[in-house]
Amino acid sequence: MSEAIQYDAAENRAGLTGVKAYLLTSLLVFALMMLAGVVLRAAQGAYINIPPEVFYQIMTLHGAGMVGIAGFAGAGVLWYFLRQYVRLNGKVLWLNYFIFLGGVVLILAAILIGGFAGAWTFLYPLPAQSMGLWSPTAATAYMLGLLVIGTGFLLLYLDIGIALIKRYGGLGRALGVPMMFGAKVDPSHPTTVVAGTMVLIVNFTGIAAGAVVLALCLFNLWQPEYKLDPLLIKNLIYFFGHVFINATIYSGVVAVYELLPKYTGRPWNVSRPFLYAWGAATLMVLAVYPHHLLMDFVMPPWMLVMGQVLSYLSGIPVLAITAYGALTIVYRSGIRWDAASACMLIAMFGWAGGVIPAVIDGTLMVNKVMHNTMWVPGHFHFYLLLGLLPMVIGVCYYLSNNRENGGKPLVDTAALAIYFFGAMGLILAFLAGGADSVPRRWAEHFESWRFLGQLSAVAGGLTLLGFLVITLRNLVKLPQAKIA
Ligand code: HEM
Ligand SMILES: [Cu+2]
């Protein structure tokens, strides 16, 4: 069922250099965007003084840059492992790489030259009504940039989708649907194929919705008499945004499924609970997004109730089955610890830890108080900094160290520790701000809030420092690493 795909030399080279390019580009962009984040926190802590419109430009850059590169890095990780089981096209991987860069240029121009500062969520009618801060051209460049990036991703997913269908005779089979409903469970069906199929289904849907809403907003920008329904637009944007950022983790988690078995010498086989969890997540990730609209009282009540109830259910099954699987596979396995295997365990911690404040905020009564406070950046920085990023970093280390085997240089251990504790400090200060009702997305903070900003500026600086060392180490080793 799962004998590995054979690639010829040229295909192999295109694909594997592509994977390296994705990973290294991601590390560099993550580092640059972290610097932007530290600047934001330093400004909120009044360590530095920047004009509010510049704060919002940097915030837009940080938000859009981080979300985009998170998706890009997740795609690189998923692609690398999935190509073992289905025949993926390295040229399409590269095509998406260059389309992505093209989109980035548009977005950078919109923000840095055009002064666009409408936040990565481009909530209608903000891009069109800038109160003179940016022109419709700048807003166009920004939204066109997102549209271009989305198109690249859709092409990449198209190739993945075709490959999955060719190999497994349908997406349902790849996801393991027949095995959920009675067919004998085939333990050799790859976990990565199940996860990859889920990501493909949800992210294709999410990005397609994103493309629709971007096209509508672009049209409105140049034909202002063509009015849009703000509530519908907000629903579409958050549907897209929720799915896209969640899909980054669901892509990255295949690293855990693939690497832990290699480090422990124990297989990670699919089981019925595993398939149920991923099957349920496929549906729920698409339906949970109204938890972003809990304070929009004009929403149909049933949707808000669905948003709350699914918030409890949506993330939990896959997280539980993965965390449980990870713990049982590691327990008494005599696992070989190095930077890569340590990252996988940090990732499980960060993902699980970040889900807790997320679920709390998905509760209507809590959201009444916590909505748009620092609690929100608190939860998503938790599972992105300590969940997704360790998955990506771990894969970089795994590929960099390949064949060198063993050895855990002190510098890597130290860099990871600094990164970890810096990120924890940053996250806890965000959450403490949330508990104190400090609003998110405010350029200027009251005197009494500044201490938390200063604390996080230092913690964020440490995070960046650790991450820079990690980046440099991989920048030196990964390009020459022989990977298969
Ligand atoms: C050194 C690390 C980081 C620092 C210091 C940092 C700092 C910040 C700050 C200060 C904000 C604005 C908070 C506010 O609403 O007032 C923010 C927002 C945000 N950050 Fe980070 N961040 C870091 C890493 C990351 C990472 C790794 C990601 C994703 C992979 C990320 C994604 C975001 C997103 C999506 C927003 C929301 C922007 C918006 O509200 O429009 N950040 N960050
Ligand atoms: Cu959400």
Side-chain angles (χ1 to χ4, degrees), residues 238-239 241-243 245-246 285 288-292 311 358 379 383:
Y238 277 104
F239 173 73
H242 174 90
V243 169
I245 198 66
N246 276 267
V285 166
V288 68
Y289 81 89
H291 63 197
H292 295 276
S311 290
H379 93 255
Y383 65 65

Side-chain angles (χ1 to χ4, degrees), residues 30 33-41 44 55 59-60 62-64 66-67 69-70 119-121 245 373-374 377 380-381 384-385 388-389 419 426 430 439-443 445 456-457 459-461 463-464:
F30 275 131
M33 292 299 121
M34 279 182 196
L35 180 62
V38 174
V39 169
L40 294 176
R41 263 332 227 161
Q44 287 173 335
F55 178 94
M59 190 188 87
T60 305
H62 176 80
M66 282 298 197
V67 172
I69 204 65
W120 80 275
T121 42
I245 198 66
T373 65
M374 285 297 203
F380 67 71
H381 282 91
L384 290 171
L385 272 168
L388 172 69
L389 262 72
Y419 175 82
L426 179 73
F430 270 140
R440 74 183 278 206
R441 290 178 166 169
W442 277 26
H445 278 192
S456 340
T463 314
L464 175 60

Side-chain angles (χ1 to χ4, degrees), residues 5-51:
I5 301 279
Q6 297 301 323
Y7 291 93
D8 68 38
E11 280 179 307
N12 226 3
R13 218 189 39 241
L16 295 176
T17 50
V19 168
K20 287 181 182 178
Y22 270 60
L23 292 173
L24 291 174
T25 306
S26 303
L27 291 182
L28 287 170
V29 176
F30 275 131
L32 209 61
M33 292 299 121
M34 279 182 196
L35 180 62
V38 174
V39 169
L40 294 176
R41 263 332 227 161
Q44 287 173 335
Y47 271 155
I48 56 171
N49 208 344
I50 50 176

Side-chain angles (χ1 to χ4, degrees), residues 191-209:
T191 47
T192 294
V193 166
V194 176
T197 308
M198 181 273 199
V199 168
L200 166 77
I201 294 170
V202 303
N203 223 8
F204 199 92
T205 317
I207 295 174

